Each structure stands twice: as structure tokens, then as C-alpha cells.
Amino acid sequence: MKKLIGLFCILVAAVFTVVAVDAAYAADTPLYEKRINLAVKLIDDMAKQSDASAMAQSIKESKGVAIFPDVAKAGFIIGAEEGQGLVLLRTESGGWSGPAFMGIAGASVGLQAGIESLGLVLVINNDEGLKAFTGGNSFKLGADIGVAAGPVGSQVGNATTAPLKASLYSYSLAKGVFAGISVNGSIINQNRDLNLAYWGKDMTAQQALAEPATNQKILPLLQALNSLIEKAR
């Protein structure tokens, strides 16, 4: 019974995510373009936050980022999350490769009245985090790979001086509130359909993330990320 309730909540969240996203763009806009545009807006909004420097520092020193700009929550007592996004990796020269399109879904327990949507960014800190996004079709946050709320504000020093980091840092923005959050239990899945639509051929995440991010379609997001990195301390 609990599994059925959890599945229902995930389906409800998925429906509202699709409705919210589709309402913002023309019906003939490719889905991958919608994801990119929403990701640009999320990164721009995060960059405007007064305490974004720690996140910027984390991204500057990272292996890459996963951006889920519209993760919907639904349910009361038992909640669920579902959202679609993309991953970009940092190159040795400080550039970017990818994107690979992915989804996030998971169940949580808590008092969640109504429906809430938030933007989520996962910063990939090390090789273990990198392998999670390139090594298979899906993985579970907190079980298959370590994830922790990313440092913000006065914690900026912890982003660079801590001897041990979680493989992933998580940051969220919802209703103008910017913070590091816990996302343990959520599952990341590859979205091969959007990879196919964007790249014009079937691509695994590993293959897509090995490609230089030079396509004009992804450049606005690269510019937004690079502008955010400039805020690093």
C-alpha cells in the first residue's frame, strides 16, 4: 500500500511539473530547450542571492554540475519529488562538456501541504561523484553516492578548506529562499530520449558528457554558470 501511495505521489508531481513547464513555452519548443532555458533562469536567480559565493566557489573547483530547475513536490504526510534536468562536466581547461539529460525522483516523509516546486543544483566534487553520473543508468543519492547540503554564506571557507568533502553538494532555491538541502533517497536516472533529441543520435550519459559543450543551444547556460563562478571568493 505504501508503495502505491508513493507511486501516486510521484505521478502527481510529474504531471504538475510537465504542466508548469509546458505552460511557460510554446508547444513546439523542444523539451531539451525548455530544460536549458529553465536551468539558465535558475542559475541566474541563484547568482543574485547575497550568499551565493560559497556555491560559486564549489562550482569553480568542481568536476561538474547537475541542474534540475523545476522539481515538483506533491502530497500530504507522504510526499514525492520528480523533476527533469541536465548535467555538465568541467574540463581540465576550465571549460564544459555535455550536456547529458537526466531526471530525479524520490519519496520522502513529512508534512507537505499542497504542491511546491524548487530548483535544485548538485555540485560534483570528486571522481566518485563523477562516476555516479557516467557509470550507469541510475543511482540513489545517499546510498550509492554521498551527498550533503552545500556550504552557504559564512560557510564559504568550508567549501575549499575541508579535507574531506561529500561527493555531491546540494543547493536549492524555492520562493526566493536559497540554501543547501538534503536530498538523500532521491534517484537519478538517465533521459535517453532527450539525449537523442539534443544530440541527434542515441547517447548514453557517459558518451554525451565526453563531448565538448560547443553547441549554440547550450551556450546561454554556460554563460550563466561562468558568470556565477565569477562570484567565487
Side-chain angles (χ1 to χ4, degrees):
M1 183 64 180
K2 290 182 178 179
K3 291 183 178 179
L4 290 176
I5 295 174
L7 178 59
F8 172 78
C9 292
I10 291 174
L11 291 174
V12 171
V15 169
F16 276 89
T17 300
V18 171
V19 170
V21 171
D22 287 349
Y25 296 97
D28 58 349
T29 302
L31 280 176
Y32 66 76
E33 186 175 335
K34 296 176 183 178
R35 305 301 179 219
I36 293 171
N37 291 342
L38 287 170
V40 170
K41 184 179 186 308
L42 174 60
I43 295 300
D44 284 344
D45 288 344
M46 284 182 159
K48 295 174 184 176
Q49 304 303 308
S50 60
D51 52 356
S53 58
M55 177 183 176
Q57 185 69 43
S58 297
I59 294 176
K60 182 178 181 179
E61 299 184 349
S62 74
K63 300 286 185 178
V65 293
I67 306 169
F68 301 94
D70 193 19
V71 181
K73 289 189 175 184
F76 182 75
I77 305 297
I78 297 177
E81 302 90 32
E82 195 278 343
Q84 295 293 325
L86 55 88
V87 181
L88 289 161
L89 299 185
R90 296 278 277 168
T91 64
E92 292 183 0
S93 63
W96 298 91
S97 63
F101 292 87
M102 297 190 178
I104 184 170
S108 62
V109 176
L111 297 177
Q112 298 175 358
I115 296 173
E116 180 183 356
S117 177
L118 60 82
L120 174 67
V121 173
L122 300 176
V123 180
I124 305 170
N125 288 324
N126 55 30
D127 289 339
E128 290 301 313
L130 193 63
K131 290 176 183 177
F133 284 96
T134 59
N137 289 324
S138 66
F139 61 93
K140 189 173 184 178
L141 299 175
D144 299 323
I145 192 69
V147 58
V152 295
S154 60
Q155 298 174 312
V156 63
N158 295 333
T160 57
T161 61
L164 294 176
K165 296 180 180 180
S167 293
L168 305 175
Y169 282 153
S170 61
Y171 292 92
S172 71
L173 185 66
K175 297 181 179 179
V177 178
F178 174 68
I181 64 168
S182 174
V183 288
N184 283 324
S186 298
I187 296 174
I188 306 290
N189 298 283
Q190 292 191 38
N191 190 327
R192 297 285 285 270
D193 290 338
L194 284 191
N195 284 342
L196 172 61
Y198 177 89
W199 292 101
K201 58 182 178 180
D202 187 35
M203 298 276 274
T204 65
Q206 184 176 25
Q207 291 169 330
L209 291 171
E211 295 290 328
T214 56
N215 194 301
Q216 292 290 326
K217 295 175 287 190
I218 199 66
L219 291 186
L221 181 53
L222 305 187
Q223 292 168 357
L225 285 167
N226 291 334
S227 293
L228 173 58
I229 288 173
E230 291 177 1
K231 295 181 176 292
R233 293 182 181 178

